Amino acid sequence: MAEAPGWWRDAVIYQVYVRSFSDSDGDGLGDLGGIRSRLGYLRDLGVDGLWLTPFYPSPLVDGGYDVADPRDVDPALGSLDEFDRLVAEAHRLGLRVLVDLVPNHTSDRHPWFQAALSAEPGSPERDRYLFRDGRSGPDGSQLPPNNWQSVFGGSAWAPDERTGQWFLHLFAPEQPDLNWRNADVVADAERTLRFWLDRGVDGFRIDVAHGLIKSADLPDNPGAYSPELFGHGPEEVHSWDQPEVHDVYRRWRKVLDSYPGERMAVGEVWVRTDEATARYVRPDELHLAFNFRLLRAPWEATALRDAVTASLASMAGVGAPSSWVLSNHDAVRHRSRYGDGEIGLRRARAAALLLLALPGAAYLYQGEELGLPEVRLPDEALQDPIWLRSGRTTRGRDGCRVPLPWQGTAAPYGFSAGADSWLPMPEDWAALTVEAQTVDPGSVLELYRSALRLRREARSVSGAPRAPALFWEDSPPDCLVLHREDGLVCAVNLGSTDVPMPAGTLLLHSADPETVGTAVLPADSAAWLRRAG
Ligand code: NOJ
């Protein structure tokens, strides 16, 4: 592909949840062939690239984030040849490809973990993971080595019955944590990076980037895991965000920079402050880190503005752009987070214009361009380990992972040629399909297409992909008016009454301008306008 310097700085990347995007062989499971067949859709949508969630061989205890072999393709999803065809076709269409790297843990089926289980305490095989002896309880019973909690519920330690040791799993017990102070682990991750770089990928999304290194002696944490999703804070100071983790990214940055073209990495960094996030994107570390504060913010002007301002300020301190995201495969879809029914939809449309106006990179989650809501699945369909480990009290993340509706009027809506999809699709999604929305100029899909087209046009006018500076204008309470130095104005009304439309040439309205007119900005809507820069 032709190289634009810093292409990743303002790229719009579309997250493909591989098993739920498109199924090419009728087994109800999305696959690489399905993605390849739909690349034209992504090009026409107007994104710059796609991020593929894990497609590696996996027993699927955690949706593929339990990886049994990081350098292969799960046979149910394709093959390495199919992967190569997908990358080649994406590049032909001008789309970048990012893959997911899962360095914090493996599947318990990974040959290394199997070898560790058969090996003795103190062996080199066990040293690749975090095996420890337990502590004795007052009654002589064996207790886990420390008080750490699994993100998915319960203790972060599982017993190894044969030897009486315990092993650490910050996620499911089937996802044992690797020991990042072990040289094999360090070398193997680099091998994986090079394996996919050699196959032509443009970059990586790094899973749990803040978690690889733990406090050396694994001391008790001062508190328990907080229920905020992956919201690691001071109470878990020993398990996450250790200073030595940055050395890992400094090494990886050298690997990425040694390849032609600008290969990049974006980190999943769940830390409490913007300053802590910024440390992951210093010039010699990762390129980008998702800004989850925006994703977490309620539909309130102050909360959204503060999330934007704080991220821009802390990122500017290290010379990195912000990476905005409203939804992903771990969070309730923002259409549903912002409110039920029509109000959520109106707000999601407005939020799309805010997201895509912000300076920096943007990451879209498949289906947000269709305005998909979170689905309440029947209990028996739920697969997320959170559901089982919480004793069936927390439903988990399956509701945002339901397959995409492409066409037709009945499930599985063209997602699969077979009768079923791996997660059931709602009966009432006929109006949400790509096909239905493509013929409807007022659809969410057409709003995203228009916004992405205007964003690209603005980029081609401004030339270099440097994030334009942003200024907040005075605005009525509950409104946001941001003005970019390149002349784009984005106004969002988060209040409950109409406000006058700010000055400028109207480019795009999240509400139907034929119904609402162009002089007002109704409640829960947004508009893009142009003014002289
Ligand atoms: C973050 C991923 O996004 C999530 O889906 C997964 O469960 C955990 N990391 C563990 O890999």
Side-chain angles (χ1 to χ4, degrees):
M1 290 186 67
E3 288 311 326
W7 64 267
W8 43 272
R9 290 185 158 265
D10 69 346
V12 180
I13 303 290
Y14 183 99
Q15 179 188 355
V16 172
Y17 195 74
V18 174
R19 288 173 178 78
S20 299
F21 188 67
S22 181
D23 170 23
S24 67
D25 60 8
D27 64 358
L29 199 61
D31 49 37
L32 298 187
I35 299 167
R36 185 159 60 90
S37 73
R38 305 283 191 185
L39 287 174
Y41 168 74
L42 296 181
R43 182 211 38 211
D44 295 346
L45 178 60
V47 297
D48 300 297
L50 49 150
W51 144 32
L52 303 173
T53 55
F55 49 79
Y56 318 113
S58 166
L60 289 185
V61 170
D62 182 24
Y65 284 93
D66 45 325
V67 179
D69 180 352
R71 295 181 287 270
D72 204 352
V73 174
D74 193 305
L77 305 181
S79 62
L80 284 170
D81 284 348
E82 181 58 60
F83 178 82
D84 292 342
R85 282 194 288 275
L86 170 58
V87 172
E89 179 65 4
H91 285 171
R92 198 181 66 75
L93 296 177
L95 295 167
R96 314 268 178 177
V97 179
L98 313 189
V99 297
D100 219 309
L101 193 77
V102 189
N104 179 66
H105 43 264
T106 67
S107 159
D108 61 351
R109 307 285 176 81
H110 190 291
W112 274 6
F113 192 70
Q114 291 299 315
L117 286 180
S118 322
E120 295 312 309
S123 58
E125 288 83 357
R126 286 202 166 205
D127 190 55
R128 293 175 182 142
Y129 293 89
L130 291 159
F131 281 86
R132 291 290 184 277
D133 294 334
R135 297 199 273 205
S136 296
D139 54 355
S141 62
Q142 275 296 294
L143 300 175
N146 68 22
N147 69 352
W148 293 8
Q149 302 280 299
S150 153
V151 172
F152 293 159
S155 169
W157 294 93
D160 168 33
E161 305 292 352
R162 186 179 68 81
T163 61
Q165 284 202 304
W166 302 72
F167 64 86
L168 182 74
H169 60 88
L170 290 177
F171 295 88
E174 297 84 355
Q175 293 168 295
D177 278 57
L178 287 162
N179 172 16
W180 267 87
R181 300 175 195 272
N182 174 288
D184 289 353
V185 171
V186 172
D188 193 71
E190 192 173 315
R191 196 174 149 214
T192 303
L193 280 179
R194 291 184 187 279
F195 180 88
W196 296 108
L197 288 166
D198 289 340
R199 298 196 103 88
V201 303
D202 300 282
F204 298 89
R205 176 265 187 189
I206 313 295
D207 190 60
V208 202
H210 56 300
L212 275 44
I213 306 241
K214 285 81 179 165
S215 224
D217 300 328
L218 308 181
D220 271 347
N221 272 323
Y225 175 69
S226 84
E228 269 180 277
L229 186 68
F230 307 143
H232 316 300
E235 62 277 7
E236 292 202 301
V237 68
H238 295 304
S239 359
W240 312 102
D241 195 27
Q242 301 300 304
E244 299 100 311
V245 80
H246 297 285
D247 297 336
V248 175
Y249 302 124
R250 292 196 185 99
R251 282 194 301 269
W252 290 5
R253 182 61 179 256
K254 291 200 179 94
V255 175
L256 293 167
D257 287 350
S258 72
Y259 276 77
E262 282 198 68
R263 315 291 177 102
M264 53 75 73
V266 51
E268 184 209 24
V269 180
W270 287 97
V271 289
R272 199 49 71 92
T273 64
D274 291 282
E275 291 68 33
T277 307
R279 287 200 283 273
Y280 288 76
V281 290
R282 288 177 286 197
D284 58 348
E285 298 194 38
L286 300 176
H287 297 70
L288 302 171
F290 296 125
N291 179 275
F292 290 127
R293 184 160 162 192
L294 190 74
L295 181 151
R296 281 189 174 140
W299 184 249
E300 283 169 19
T302 314
L304 291 168
R305 185 175 48 227
D306 289 353
V308 171
T309 307
S311 174
L312 290 174
S314 56
M315 293 291 151
V318 291
S322 294
S323 308
W324 309 108
V325 50
L326 291 176
S327 278
N328 65 28
H329 65 294
D330 293 325
V332 172
R333 284 190 177 276
H334 61 271
R335 169 175 173 179
S336 301
R337 282 202 318 268
Y338 291 151
D340 288 334
E342 279 309 301
I343 197 162
L345 182 59
R346 281 209 310 275
R347 291 175 176 172
R349 292 174 64 100
L353 295 198
L354 174 64
L355 175 81
L356 293 171
L358 294 173
Y363 281 71
L364 309 180
Y365 177 50
Q366 69 175 41
E368 74 173 75
E369 81 281 17
L370 303 176
L372 294 188
E374 186 80 0
V375 178
R376 180 158 177 110
L377 291 161
D379 291 2
E380 61 280 9
L382 297 179
Q383 310 211 5
D384 190 335
I386 292 176
W387 171 239
L388 284 184
R389 286 187 64 83
S390 68
R392 298 176 197 268
T393 55
T394 306
R395 303 189 72 74
R397 303 159 294 174
D398 295 309
C400 67
R401 299 175 177 181
V402 172
L404 282 199
W406 291 94
Q407 68 210 41
T409 53
Y413 304 101
F415 162 72
S416 171
D420 295 317
S421 49
W422 71 283
L423 287 175
M425 299 175 71
E427 297 298 315
D428 59 354
W429 271 14
L432 294 178
T433 64
V434 169
E435 178 183 54
Q437 297 204 36
T438 296
V439 295
D440 174 3
S443 69
V444 186
L445 179 57
E446 293 302 339
L447 181 72
Y448 269 79
R449 284 181 175 152
S450 302
L452 288 164
R453 193 186 61 247
L454 288 167
R455 184 177 160 116
R456 274 204 315 281
E457 284 168 9
R459 185 193 292 161
S460 61
V461 171
S462 73
R466 182 184 69 80
L470 172 155
F471 312 94
W472 298 105
E473 292 187 355
D474 289 343
S475 57
D478 297 329
C479 289
L480 296 173
V481 179
L482 67 88
H483 187 171
R484 297 183 356 177
E485 65 177 337
D486 62 1
L488 182 78
V489 174
C490 174
V492 191
N493 181 358
L494 300 101
S496 51
T497 51
D498 294 358
V499 296
M501 185 69 83
T505 310
L506 183 65
L507 300 174
L508 195 57
H509 205 314
S510 73
D512 179 359
E514 285 186 18
T515 320
V516 302
T518 55
V520 293
L521 189 61
D524 296 319
S525 74
W528 281 5
L529 307 116
R530 176 152 305 285
R531 283 194 217 142

